[in-house]
Amino acid sequence: MEVVGGYRESIVTTMKKNCIAVVSANMGGYDTVKPVPRYEPGIDYFYISDRDDVLTEAALQGWMPLKCDWSTIEVPAWAEHAPDRYRAKVIKLAPWAFPQEKYRHYLWIDSSITLLDGWWQSALNHLGSHDILLHSHRNRNSVYEEAAFSMRMVKYEAEQNSLASALEQMATGLNIPLISGLYETGFILRRHTATQDDLARIWWQAQETYRTTQDQVTFCIALWEAQLDVAVFPFTLPNVGKQSQILALDAHNETKRYGTDSNKNDSALHKEHHNTSKEGV
């Protein structure tokens, strides 16, 4: 619990010996709170935020609200000055921080995702006996292509050195094949196993090493090192504004829905974050 120890007690008091823990995070009120699907026994929905108004809305939408107190959380260097959307990834990368022994499965969803009624039937069916269930990337199937493509994107312009370092390590240090799969990280269903803890720690360390918010790249590095048995949906994540048979996907809000803590926009904050953490990359 060293990473998210600030809300250990609130989690412990609400958890039961259930089948699935669904977790999402929304820092700074970046996104609107999506409603949970129809109630199903054995599935608990946890919503983590650092804003009380967001948590109030989460409770109204059917979530179990959990307060994130940044003063009690070990914030990694890559997220210390990052904008709110990227700070949510601190929670995303640290599932070992939750007492998962109470659950057989753990699902992370980005705050832009709305789960549809009965989603769990399709998800568990496709997971089968595998360790983890993911969506393949809709446009690329190589982490090398993703890293190279990201280096040309405006939102990662301050991370070119970080991504170049990751590319070199993948090719010469880890010997990851050119075509080894590329996965979305907005929906990650994991079986509760010790290997999953290993994956989370490797992923966390990769983020620390390369100091990039491009978690699809570091996730593929972690998957390769952990050697998990991966299951993949036969369909990709839907386009923004569309839905698949299990979920709907919205765009992340460009302006904060629940008020503004700063007059800096997300892009400016992102650039500032990397300008303050380039040493050692």
Side-chain angles (χ1 to χ4, degrees), residues 104-120:
R104 292 191 289 276
H105 304 88
Y106 171 98
L107 173 65
W108 165 269
I109 57 170
D110 285 353
S111 57
S112 56
I113 285 177
T114 302
L115 293 173
L116 304 181
D117 291 347
W119 67 270
W120 56 274

Side-chain angles (χ1 to χ4, degrees), residues 75-83 85-93 159 203-215 218 270 273-274 277:
V75 180
W78 58 267
E80 189 173 6
H81 302 287
R85 181 155 62 97
Y86 297 106
R87 287 168 71 85
K89 295 185 180 185
V90 175
I91 311 302
K92 180 179 187 175
L93 267 66
E159 302 190 22
W203 192 10
W204 182 277
Q205 185 58 52
Q207 290 286 127
E208 285 280 72
T209 299
Y210 304 111
R211 298 190 184 188
T212 175
T213 54
Q214 221 306 16
D215 58 354
T218 55
H270 193 195
H273 153 52
H274 287 284
S277 62

Side-chain angles (χ1 to χ4, degrees), residues 18-240:
N18 282 352
C19 181
I20 306 173
V22 179
V23 178
S24 192
N26 178 0
M27 300 306 167
Y30 191 88
D31 278 324
T32 55
V33 180
K34 311 301 187 294
V36 303
R38 181 184 62 239
Y39 171 75
E40 299 285 353
I43 305 177
D44 289 338
Y45 296 85
F46 299 94
Y47 205 86
I48 302 170
S49 182
D50 50 4
R51 291 181 63 112
D52 291 336
D53 51 352
V54 174
L55 295 175
T56 298
E57 178 64 19
L60 292 174
Q61 296 290 359
W63 297 85
M64 297 183 189
L66 300 174
K67 182 65 176 289
C68 173
D69 181 357
W70 289 114
S71 66
T72 64
I73 296 174
E74 178 188 332
V75 180
W78 58 267
E80 189 173 6
H81 302 287
D84 292 319
R85 181 155 62 97
Y86 297 106
R87 287 168 71 85
K89 295 185 180 185
V90 175
I91 311 302
K92 180 179 187 175
L93 267 66
W96 72 83
F98 297 89
Q100 294 181 74
E101 66 274 5
K102 303 294 183 181
Y103 292 89
R104 292 191 289 276
H105 304 88
Y106 171 98
L107 173 65
W108 165 269
I109 57 170
D110 285 353
S111 57
S112 56
I113 285 177
T114 302
L115 293 173
L116 304 181
D117 291 347
W119 67 270
W120 56 274
Q121 295 170 308
S122 176
L124 291 181
N125 179 57
H126 286 105
L127 176 65
S129 60
H130 301 279
D131 296 320
I132 190 167
L133 175 64
L134 304 165
H135 291 86
S136 291
H137 196 282
R138 69 168 63 88
N139 297 321
R140 290 175 287 283
N141 63 357
S142 167
V143 65
Y144 292 94
E145 290 182 27
E146 180 68 10
F149 181 84
S150 298
M151 291 173 69
R152 300 192 298 272
M153 296 177 68
V154 173
K155 70 176 181 176
Y156 295 122
E157 64 181 352
E159 302 190 22
Q160 291 197 10
N161 289 341
S162 299
L163 291 167
S165 178
L167 272 170
E168 181 180 2
Q169 177 63 14
M170 287 188 295
T172 62
L174 298 173
N175 296 315
I176 297 178
L178 183 61
I179 305 299
S180 56
L182 180 65
Y183 308 101
E184 306 280 4
T185 59
F187 179 109
I188 305 174
L189 179 62
R190 322 171 201 231
R191 188 182 305 283
H192 174 215
T193 63
T195 309
Q196 290 292 347
D197 283 359
D198 292 340
L199 170 68
R201 289 187 168 87
I202 294 169
W203 192 10
W204 182 277
Q205 185 58 52
Q207 290 286 127
E208 285 280 72
T209 299
Y210 304 111
R211 298 190 184 188
T212 175
T213 54
Q214 221 306 16
D215 58 354
Q216 285 178 314
V217 171
T218 55
F219 182 67
C220 285
I221 291 174
L223 272 180
W224 176 256
E225 292 195 59
Q227 293 293 298
L228 292 186
D229 183 12
V230 178
V232 178
F233 281 112
F235 47 85
T236 62
L237 277 176
N239 290 319
V240 170

